[in-house]
Amino acid sequence: MTSTVERWLAHEGESLLDHLRSVGELARRFAPDALADAAELAGLVHDLGKATPFFQARLHGQDGGGAEANHAYLGALYGAWVAQARGLDPLVVFLAVARHHGPLRTPHELLPHPRDIDPPGFLDVDRPGLRRTLRALPVQLDAVRQSWPSLCPALGLPDPRPFLDGQVWETLRALAEEALALAYLAEYETLEPAARRRFWETNIVFSALIDADKKLAAGYRPPHRSALPADLVDRYLATLGGDGGPLGPFRRQLYHAVDERIRSEPLDRLYPALLTLTAPTGAGKTLTVLNAALKLRARVEQERGLSPRIVYALPFINLIEQTAEVARDVLMNSGVDPADVLIAHHHLAPLAQRPATGSAPTRSPAIESSTPDEDLVEVDESLLLAESWDAEVVLTTFVQVFHTLVGYQNRMLKKLHTLVEGAILVLDEVQALDARYWPLIRAVLGDLPQWGVTVILMTATQPALVDRRRTLELAPPLPGYPARVVLRPAEPRTVAELAEAVAARAGQSQLVVVNSVRVSLELFEALRRERLPHLYYLSTNVTPRDRHARLEEIRALLRQRVPVVLVATQVVEAGVDVDFDSGWREWGPLESLVQVAGRINRNAQAPAGERELGVVELAEGQGHLVYGRVLLEAARQGLSQPLADRAVEQILAAYFDTIEQRIAQERAWRLLAALPRLDYDRSGADCHRGGASLPVRCFQLIEEPPSLSIFVEQDEQASATLRALREAYQNPNPNERRLALRRLRPAVELYTITPLLRRALGNLPRPLFHDREDPRLIRREELASFYDEQTGFIWEISQFL
């Protein structure tokens, strides 16, 4: 029997029996206890359909036929049959196995209507791909009669002969009826948290399966779990000199009060739980929450025997890099190598930040389309560790977190099981989350504690994203915390008038934030004519390489009290550690105004009455297109007269209530209705039309109009990256090519800008590759025509006036 069983291969050089056992075992280990049996079963059957002469022929480079050589669907049906017999959810196992090489799909996309189940012809099935799959089933069933009766018992699975002899069609019909029932689930049935449990179960089992499968294909070895001393931040703070200036006492008060809360509260109130940490800008929230997460992790280790990972998410990449610098300093101060415990998972993260041999995958507009999940065979362990968040501390973006929680894509869902292994999830600057999605975000975050997750929402301006009755606030009131800046509706009504007002304060450092790249460029040009000596510009119009270098230069000048004037878009709004004397902000949401105010007199070195943020409405501005009229009207209503920043913080609750009442949140409710229906992705679904629900595919945390990727060859490092990119693109081996492109993404993205397509068309550089329109290339000898060293990409402004 052994020789018969071992003749079947999963991959070249690996027996199918060994592969299925290993994936089943690892998937079980990855899944929470409640789903361990389902995950193991999915692992044991996911490639069982490879035990046919059709697939084996394809594996050896021969003609294995068409649909008969496909393996996932047959294994998925058998897995559902076994799940039914074992009291597990058949549909969960079916979906996970059927789609383990691609994104999840809505069940009725994968199953026929019950009335159309008429083997062997399936003549009435109207979807050609599904019809081919179903028509291949009788041939496949006959083929596995030669392999499964010996292979299944060797895997601890039941005798497959009743399934092969006809119960397969009963299983298919039951699944089809379930899929039909889900499609017609009444709206009122989708609203309760219990209705979403099957969505979580499906996604978690799918996550455990695909991560186990990919890691074992890469020769995965479980990474060593590293100890993190609970007092890392305490030790770091002890090395810092000075008293912290006027804000020092308040920072210490916040730090010690939150620390005491973590130490003294019953653990059941802290883990798993929904927590908030609300404190003013400049109060030292980053170190406070890092300490809280480490102390909470230590308590969980001591009292529960678990070691939760710490996942720290922020809205913008520049904030991740800033926070990563703090985290590395904290770790290295105690002799902990950041490379052993820390992953920064975003598309600009350099290779040096990876654990062991690590490097991270990225979401690159320039090369993403060449790496579909369905085709990628992953062979780089370090990429897998980063993508599945195999580290003690993970720094990542809101996009990564929420497209994992509200997910359907293979690569995004791969890390979901890591999150629900009991992680401590810190969401910093949560006010940046789009108010239109609040109902969806509120529901998803509210579900996480049932999966063992503690969520800490941290900001100076806390929107009502969690039920206050179920939430513990960690931060104490900070009476006497100084106001630092007055927000004042100001007079300038045009770009020219604003430029004059800025020039009139030439002796002060000033931050000027406007709502669009177009207005920022107009303002910068107007100020350049004023011949200000220390004028800088920041927006997504310049490369990440330039933005990072420029911000460091600006910080150094500000420390020397040089009167820097920075014109910027929202890239410097939240969390960026700069300290200007005064500032200007085009009207935007109230929380955005508060965030800009936090970059002025940041350390309270001057009385608030001496520092001002002028809030202006520009005739050339298009804030209503950026934010919508509801947010702007609510902000004007809240700030109808000058208010100190601390006073503005006090009216934010009423402001957020106003937004909740007025803003259109229908899209969030329709997406929320998709979760109980397992409505992941379906053909013909229009994300911009009506309907009871939108498929999960329609969820985009950040929605942007069409853009074009442009690589800027602006220095020798960019030239070297470009040569490596072209070499990788020309690699004839598709798997090696995709891996090389993914490894290059951090370097590529440092020199990549993504202007709106309508802007780029005004001054379009040549394609980077002869057979593709996107990405484009600005060569070094063309920089003068396409890229200004101060303002970045040169586009024809007049056509947008």
Side-chain angles (χ1 to χ4, degrees):
M1 184 184 75
T2 301
S3 60
T4 302
V5 168
E6 292 184 350
R7 61 177 282 212
W8 306 104
L9 299 179
H11 309 286
E12 193 67 44
E14 181 182 19
S15 80
L16 182 58
L17 179 64
D18 289 342
H19 177 68
L20 293 175
R21 281 174 173 165
S22 298
V23 174
E25 179 184 344
L26 190 57
R28 182 181 189 88
R29 196 186 329 154
F30 283 166
D33 290 344
L35 299 175
D37 290 342
E40 181 181 29
L41 174 58
L44 290 172
V45 304
H46 79 287
D47 280 352
L48 202 53
K50 290 182 176 181
T52 67
F54 313 112
F55 180 85
Q56 297 296 309
R58 177 185 289 179
L59 184 63
H60 295 295
Q62 303 166 12
D63 182 9
E68 294 84 1
N70 296 337
H71 66 281
Y73 202 86
L74 179 60
L77 287 173
Y78 176 68
W81 180 74
V82 177
Q84 180 67 43
R86 293 181 174 178
L88 306 173
D89 190 325
L91 187 60
V92 167
V93 175
F94 172 81
L95 290 173
V97 175
R99 297 302 301 165
H100 73 272
H101 284 301
L104 286 169
R105 299 277 288 173
T106 304
H108 67 74
E109 290 286 307
L110 304 174
L111 294 158
H113 193 285
R115 67 168 179 264
D116 296 334
I117 298 177
D118 57 344
F122 293 97
L123 299 177
D124 294 327
V125 176
D126 58 0
R127 284 157 285 171
L130 178 59
R131 186 166 60 245
R132 285 193 297 272
T133 296
L134 294 173
R135 285 180 173 178
L137 275 177
V139 179
Q140 291 177 307
L141 290 166
D142 187 58
V144 297
R145 290 179 185 277
Q146 308 304 312
S147 57
W148 282 16
S150 55
L151 191 56
C152 291
L155 292 165
L157 297 170
D159 184 349
R161 282 173 290 194
F163 171 82
L164 301 175
D165 290 340
Q167 290 184 19
V168 56
W169 308 119
E170 297 173 18
T171 298
L172 181 62
R173 186 178 303 278
L175 291 169
E177 290 171 348
E178 183 69 20
L180 191 64
L182 284 175
Y184 289 99
L185 201 63
E187 185 171 352
Y188 74 89
E189 296 178 278
T190 68
L191 300 179
E192 293 300 318
R196 295 189 292 274
R197 186 168 181 87
R198 198 183 218 181
F199 169 82
W200 291 110
E201 291 177 347
T202 302
N203 287 18
I204 293 167
V205 170
F206 182 69
S207 173
L209 169 62
I210 61 177
D211 199 29
D213 191 25
K214 293 175 189 294
K215 282 178 174 171
L216 288 169
Y220 169 77
R221 299 174 305 278
H224 172 69
R225 291 299 304 271
S226 300
L228 287 177
D231 62 347
L232 282 172
V233 182
D234 295 334
R235 297 183 204 173
Y236 174 72
L237 289 175
T239 67
L240 300 182
D243 61 0
L247 296 183
F250 299 98
R251 290 170 179 162
R252 289 188 287 275
Q253 181 184 352
L254 175 67
Y255 183 88
H256 291 300
V258 173
D259 182 89
E260 178 60 27
R261 201 78 188 259
I262 294 295
R263 292 173 181 273
S264 62
E265 285 286 341
L267 187 57
D268 288 344
R269 295 196 66 194
L270 300 171
Y271 185 87
L274 295 175
L275 309 174
T276 54
L277 200 165
T278 312
T281 301
K285 294 188 294 294
T286 300
L287 288 174
T288 296
V289 81
L290 280 175
N291 177 66
L294 288 166
K295 298 284 175 61
L296 179 56
R297 170 183 159 113
R299 281 197 65 186
V300 174
E301 287 176 335
Q302 182 177 4
E303 299 180 34
R304 303 270 178 88
L306 305 172
S307 293
R309 302 179 196 274
I310 299 169
V311 178
Y312 194 124
L314 295 119
F316 310 119
I317 290 170
N318 60 311
L319 300 188
I320 295 176
E321 286 303 302
Q322 181 175 293
T323 304
E325 289 178 14
V326 174
R328 290 188 202 103
D329 288 345
V330 169
L331 292 166
M332 289 188 294
N333 178 70
S334 292
V336 179
D337 187 347
D340 291 337
V341 298
L342 176 68
I343 280 176
H345 184 213
H346 62 83
H347 66 275
L348 298 183
L351 302 183
Q353 294 177 12
R354 300 290 169 249
T357 59
S359 66
T362 58
R363 311 293 297 178
S364 166
I367 54 181
E368 183 67 26
S369 60
S370 69
T371 57
D373 286 317
E374 291 83 350
D375 298 330
L376 183 63
V377 177
E378 307 210 40
V379 294
D380 188 281
E381 182 180 2
S382 60
L383 292 174
L384 293 171
L385 295 179
E387 286 194 340
S388 56
W389 291 351
D390 269 346
E392 305 306 324
V393 181
V394 178
L395 297 175
T396 190
T397 61
F398 283 177
V399 168
Q400 287 287 337
V401 168
F402 286 101
H403 281 270
T404 296
L405 296 176
V406 187
Y408 78 105
Q409 292 175 308
N410 191 295
R411 190 173 298 164
M412 283 293 188
L413 286 176
K414 190 164 53 178
K415 56 186 173 289
L416 176 62
H417 74 86
T418 307
L419 195 60
V420 300
E421 284 176 358
I424 299 167
L425 172 63
V426 178
L427 299 175
D428 194 355
E429 306 289 2
V430 291
Q431 80 288 340
L433 291 165
D434 192 333
R436 294 174 301 166
Y437 284 127
W438 284 356
L440 175 64
I441 292 169
R442 187 179 294 124
V444 168
L445 294 180
D447 288 346
L448 287 180
Q450 71 174 302
W451 296 105
V453 179
T454 281
V455 184
I456 306 176
L457 292 89
M458 186 170 78
T459 180
T461 55
Q462 193 80 245
L465 289 176
V466 289
D467 185 346
R468 297 289 186 186
R469 296 167 298 180
R470 299 173 53 202
T471 307
L472 177 65
E473 171 62 57
L474 295 176
L478 296 175
Y481 193 90
R484 294 168 297 169
V485 59
V486 173
L487 289 78
R488 185 186 307 276
E491 287 301 320
R493 298 293 182 182
T494 66
V495 167
E497 291 177 5
L498 179 56
E500 290 176 5
V502 172
R505 296 186 188 173
Q508 297 181 358
S509 60
Q510 299 174 72
L511 172 62
V512 191
V513 178
V514 294
N515 291 329
S516 68
V517 173
R518 178 179 62 80
V519 172
S520 71
L521 291 171
E522 290 183 37
L523 178 60
F524 184 84
E525 290 303 320
L527 287 170
R528 189 144 55 177
R529 290 191 290 271
E530 297 285 346
R531 300 185 181 279
L532 297 179
H534 304 286
L535 179 63
Y536 289 84
Y537 176 82
L538 280 178
S539 81
T540 55
N541 208 52
V542 300
T543 61
R545 174 258 196 192
D546 283 351
R547 292 204 302 269
H548 179 77
R550 200 164 296 171
L551 206 49
E552 289 301 310
E553 185 177 345
I554 290 168
R555 287 191 182 109
L557 291 173
L558 289 173
R559 285 193 291 268
Q560 299 170 31
R561 308 302 300 163
V562 173
V564 171
V565 173
L566 171 60
V567 176
T569 57
Q570 300 91 328
V571 295
V572 298
E573 195 164 87
V576 176
D577 188 10
V578 289
D579 189 358
F580 287 84
D581 294 331
S582 63
W584 306 85
R585 177 61 164 92
E586 188 179 1
W587 274 104
L590 198 56
E591 67 272 23
S592 296
L593 306 186
V594 172
Q595 290 298 324
V596 175
R599 313 309 129 205
I600 297 165
N601 195 24
R602 184 170 179 81
N603 295 309
Q605 296 292 344
E610 298 178 12
R611 297 292 183 251
E612 182 177 295
L613 175 69
V615 185
V616 299
E617 183 169 4
L618 300 176
E620 301 90 339
Q622 296 179 307
H624 62 287
L625 298 179
V626 178
Y627 298 112
R629 298 188 185 279
V630 170
L631 295 180
L632 295 180
E633 290 170 1
R636 292 190 185 98
Q637 179 181 328
L639 190 64
S640 58
Q641 59 185 354
L643 289 175
D645 54 344
R646 296 292 285 145
V648 175
E649 291 169 8
Q650 301 308 310
I651 66 173
L652 282 172
Y655 162 79
F656 286 131
D657 286 343
T658 299
I659 291 173
E660 191 92 48
Q661 294 166 14
R662 296 180 184 175
I663 202 164
Q665 295 179 326
E666 178 194 3
R667 187 176 185 84
W669 288 110
R670 290 166 65 198
L671 285 164
L672 191 56
L675 307 190
R677 295 186 174 108
L678 304 183
D679 189 6
Y680 295 105
D681 187 17
R682 47 188 155 86
S683 55
D686 188 337
C687 294
H688 303 287
R689 297 184 63 182
S693 69
L694 289 172
V696 173
R697 172 176 59 83
C698 294
F699 173 59
Q700 291 292 327
L701 187 66
I702 300 175
E703 298 181 15
E704 296 178 341
S707 60
L708 185 69
S709 298
I710 301 175
F711 183 88
V712 183
E713 188 188 3
Q714 59 184 141
D715 59 19
E716 186 53 45
Q717 183 179 338
S719 299
T721 299
L722 180 60
R723 289 191 294 271
L725 181 61
R726 283 178 164 152
E727 181 180 346
Y729 190 75
Q730 293 168 1
N731 189 322
N733 183 304
N735 289 325
E736 292 180 2
R737 179 172 64 250
R738 291 167 190 146
L739 177 62
L741 289 173
R742 287 175 63 198
R743 293 184 68 93
L744 277 169
R745 283 183 193 161
V748 169
E749 284 290 347
L750 281 176
Y751 296 95
T752 299
I753 53 174
T754 54
L756 298 179
L757 180 60
R758 59 186 173 84
R759 290 178 187 157
L761 291 174
N763 190 21
L764 196 62
R766 69 186 66 206
L768 175 55
F769 303 114
H770 71 278
D771 57 344
R772 299 180 60 181
E773 290 298 312
D774 185 0
R776 297 275 168 157
L777 170 65
I778 299 175
R779 298 184 300 180
R780 291 182 77 170
E781 58 267 29
E782 299 172 327
L783 286 172
S785 299
F786 291 101
Y787 192 82
D788 183 276
E789 64 179 14
Q790 289 185 290
T791 59
F793 181 57
I794 299 170
W795 47 288
E796 189 58 53
I797 295 179
S798 61
Q799 65 182 310
F800 303 109
L801 295 180

